[in-house]
Amino acid sequence: MLRAVITIWILSVLMVQPLLASPRVPGTPNVDSLPAIIPAPAMLKTGQGHFNLRTVGSIVVKDSAHAAIAKLLAESLGQISGKVIPVKQKMDKGNNIVFRLSTTDSSLRTEGYRLTVTPSKITIEAQQPAGWFYAVQTLLQMLPTRSTAREPLLIAAVTIQDSPRFGWRGLMLDVSRHFFSKEVIMNYLDQMAKYKFNVFHWHLTDNQGWRIEIRSMPNLTRTGAWRVPRTGYWRGFQAPQPGEEATDGGSYSQEDVKEILAYAAARFITVVPEIDVPGHSLAMIASYPELSCTKTPQQVLAGDPWNTSRTNVLCVGNDSTYAALDKIFGELAALFPSSYIHIGGDEVTRMFWEKCPVCQDRIKKENLKSSSELQTYFINRLARIIESKGKLPMTWYDKLEGGLVPGVAYMSWKDHKGGMLASQNGHKAVMTPAFYTYLDFYQNDPVFENGPFTVTRLNACYAFEPIAEGVKEENVLGGQGSLWTEQVPNERKLQYMTWPRAFALAEALWSPKEKKNWDDFVNRMEKHFPRLDDAKVKYATGSYEPIVSAKKNADSSFNIIISTEIKGLDVFYTFDDTIVDEFYPKYNGRPLTIPKGAHHIRARSYRNGQPLGREINLELADLIKRAAR
Ligand code: ACM
Ligand code: ZN
């Protein structure tokens, strides 16, 4: 992720205006009377009365092989109600919560479930345990996260019949640019599961760190997992200095990985590992310089600008490179149950191959026309290695002269085009077009983050449609949000970049397309903020905050326009550089004239007299520069 940013920057600056929200259909029920479930279920019908959790008897699960999900529910309900609810195999006299597997009920689709709440019983039906798990997540969203002993705990009578639109509902996390501990990963998985994500794409290696123990190549973590420490805005860090110790980093042992995999499996999340080759490989080359064309010693990148004096590409002409990859992917395939293994394949600087006699020799021997075709050769050869381990290869889509490689699934990241081409040609595709799904992009104005970057607002995530025109739906596995972590140094920032945008992505990937309704989503999202607070998960409030832009007039003067993503907010503003509150002028939708001498505008959103989100404070000269771009 880097080059695409420039193109996407231009697009995203244009996108900061809110999308048109779908109008509420007259006669639809007031959403406040419905449970606020994210992602929105396919079908929800309210019933009469409610189930009182205070009177619950037992959780009943006949099939003891799947009792773990029932126990998970018992544990969660116990935390909410303070009461221990027994899990039994036989019906009790009281008001029970009953799990049923119905393999013959064709209305219960893959991963789907039916949740029926009546005043005397809760029934959870599914074809597979995954469906039970998702029903439990839905049920828990219908309850508060905790209660006092005297509070009633009522679950409104309801029938929910639900199943996902896509089988791949992912979040990707880059643990190379910054390392995140096993505990952080587990917290992330926990939060993902609540919103029915089922794929954790783990970007384990890059120029800035190798994060997974490979027993046959110990230098990968001994050397490759460590870089010199740097703090602050990522781009422009100082390169490693002579003699400076590499103290920042870390890695997962294979035992750590097994623990994480078990944790994920219990939450019905498949972990797809990624080793990014042949580019983005500086950490690997720092560990084993002989794998590069130059064979010169290298240091792990510290977040200093990568430049062509340092090679980060593997020598793909050399058979020993493939022998090393065979070992690495062999260990990976033995560890990870996922059917897919991601091999990276993006943003390869091929200039080293052009100067390398071994790579040039390979081009000749294989009758290749260019170094771009050599890249295709590499992907092809590695894909066969992956298959030899009983796995399916997946890569990022980058346009190559050699074309698509047989048997490879493509991840479409710059936009939808790669996925379009791949799916039309019979390849499986996962959609993560940066403009809609890159979670490293800012959530609102870059002024909040002290550095320029692209913006992907919440409403852009909500507008994510994996099946864009021209995409062959039957070959699309689904989509994901992708979080690169150059500017994500700790868990709080990780959470902040993910939520609430991942709510929007969860809905794009799970809920039926025709159910999409921005206003309704916002209403439900706001009810989930206290749940995130309770779980001590940080989230962004950017969707409340004023969007301020300058507009050029025919006479070359500029006006200021203010909008918000969320409707119905009052925005107060000032040009006098004082701290704005609700006693300041209220923006009335009309362009503002810039007072003479003003150098900043500040604005803040309110609802019912309460401030929401942060005050924005923008330099007018900067706004005018943006408008002129
Ligand atoms: C990517 O963002 N380079 C996949
Ligand atoms: Zn070479």
Side-chain angles (χ1 to χ4, degrees), residues 122-152:
I122 295 178
T123 314
I124 291 171
E125 293 163 284
Q127 276 203 14
Q128 304 165 326
W132 279 4
F133 183 79
Y134 295 130
V136 165
Q137 301 317 311
T138 297
L139 184 59
L140 292 175
Q141 288 190 15
M142 293 165 75
L143 283 160
T145 48
R146 59 185 76 225
S147 68
T148 57
R150 297 231 192 101
E151 246 175 289

Side-chain angles (χ1 to χ4, degrees), residues 186 189 202 254-267 269-273 332 334-338:
M186 287 175 172
L189 292 169
W202 208 2
Q254 293 200 1
E255 291 311 308
D256 289 337
V257 171
K258 283 181 197 159
E259 263 185 70
I260 288 170
L261 291 173
Y263 199 82
R267 286 155 185 76
I269 293 174
T270 300
V271 182
V272 176
L332 219 62
L335 261 179
F336 287 84
S338 158

Side-chain angles (χ1 to χ4, degrees), residues 1-2 280 346-347 396 413 438 484:
M1 197 287 307
L2 209 61
H280 288 269
D346 59 318
E347 297 182 312
W396 298 106
W413 62 279
Y438 264 27
W484 305 99

Side-chain angles (χ1 to χ4, degrees), residues 305-356:
W306 180 82
N307 64 62
T308 50
S309 67
R310 311 174 77 180
T311 172
N312 69 343
V313 275
L314 301 178
C315 179
V316 297
N318 200 333
D319 283 333
S320 59
T321 300
Y322 299 93
L325 293 173
D326 191 279
K327 285 198 274 187
I328 292 168
F329 284 102
E331 291 194 35
L332 219 62
L335 261 179
F336 287 84
S338 158
S339 49
Y340 281 100
I341 289 188
H342 201 302
I343 58 176
D346 59 318
E347 297 182 312
V348 180
T349 307
R350 296 187 282 261
M351 54 170 275
F352 293 96
W353 298 347
E354 277 163 18
K355 291 188 208 137
C356 170

Side-chain angles (χ1 to χ4, degrees), residues 109 184 326 467 472 578:
R109 314 252 287 271
V184 173
D326 191 279
I467 312 300
K472 195 163 182 185
T578 55

